[in-house]
Amino acid sequence: MTVYEELIEMKVPAKPEYVGVVRLTVSGVANRVGYTYDEIEDIKVAIAEACTNVVDHAYDDEGLISLQFHVHDQFVEFKIADDGTNVDVEELKKYRGPIQPDEPIQKLNEGGLGLFLIETLMDDVEIRKNKGVAIVMKKYFQKDGVAHGTNGIETETINKHR
């Protein structure tokens, strides 16, 4: 198996009109590294939710969204970060976790659904506090039991010794 790592970085203004630009970019990167159509759609939704959180909550005025897509051999790590000071990470973490099935949908907190959605669609999610807030998400390859090469072509079967 080939060890393969690449890093794609970009910064965009924390404005709603740039969330679509980020969605298109992540779609291209995800397609390039071999995710399936459904996985790409999941990634696009999760990244858009994370960027929308920055747009809505990170800054009083203007700021930037920093994006890193780190391609590893077994997964891609997507990091969406800001330098804003408006978000209390501990308060944000309270909204993590499953929605209670017995709770009426009218009583759900509007702010918690984005994080819930991100955690549902991605394989691993971590919220970090540095200067601002960073949401680090991982999406692993091989969900279908088939390994994908970084050129998008299936290269080998997982668990071929079974």
Side-chain angles (χ1 to χ4, degrees):
M1 181 176 293
T2 305
V3 176
Y4 183 81
E5 291 192 11
E6 289 184 347
L7 177 64
I8 298 104
E9 295 181 292
M10 62 187 281
K11 291 185 178 186
V12 297
K15 296 180 178 178
E17 55 267 31
Y18 286 95
V19 175
V21 173
V22 172
R23 283 176 52 94
L24 287 172
T25 303
V26 76
S27 177
V29 171
N31 184 49
R32 164 77 178 84
V33 298
Y35 284 111
T36 66
Y37 175 81
D38 289 339
E39 290 169 330
I40 292 170
E41 291 302 310
D42 289 349
I43 292 166
K44 287 167 49 182
V45 170
I47 298 298
E49 285 294 328
C51 289
T52 301
N53 282 343
V54 174
V55 170
D56 290 345
H57 305 293
Y59 301 104
D60 287 327
D61 194 15
E62 295 182 359
L64 293 172
I65 304 172
S66 298
L67 304 114
Q68 290 185 343
F69 309 138
H70 196 167
V71 181
H72 296 268
D73 195 43
Q74 299 295 317
F75 62 89
V76 177
E77 182 179 88
F78 302 92
K79 181 178 177 184
I80 310 300
D82 64 70
D83 292 330
T85 58
N86 292 341
V87 177
D88 181 347
V89 173
E90 295 308 314
E91 188 68 26
L92 188 65
K93 288 179 179 179
K94 288 181 184 175
Y95 292 110
R96 297 175 77 178
I99 296 171
Q100 300 300 318
D102 58 339
E103 189 173 13
I105 196 163
Q106 295 83 5
K107 292 190 175 188
L108 293 176
N109 289 328
E110 184 178 320
L113 292 177
L115 282 176
F116 177 75
L117 192 57
I118 290 168
E119 289 187 326
T120 301
L121 297 174
M122 302 301 274
D123 296 323
D124 187 30
V125 178
E126 184 180 343
I127 299 174
R128 298 177 185 163
K129 174 72 177 164
N130 290 322
K131 188 174 180 184
V133 174
I135 298 179
V136 181
M137 301 165 270
K138 290 181 183 174
K139 188 74 168 177
Y140 289 89
F141 301 119
Q142 307 158 355
K143 286 288 189 181
D144 57 359
V146 177
H148 297 271
T150 53
N151 60 0
I153 300 171
E154 296 174 5
T155 56
E156 66 180 282
T157 302
I158 301 297
N159 299 324
K160 57 186 169 187
H161 300 293
R162 286 186 181 182

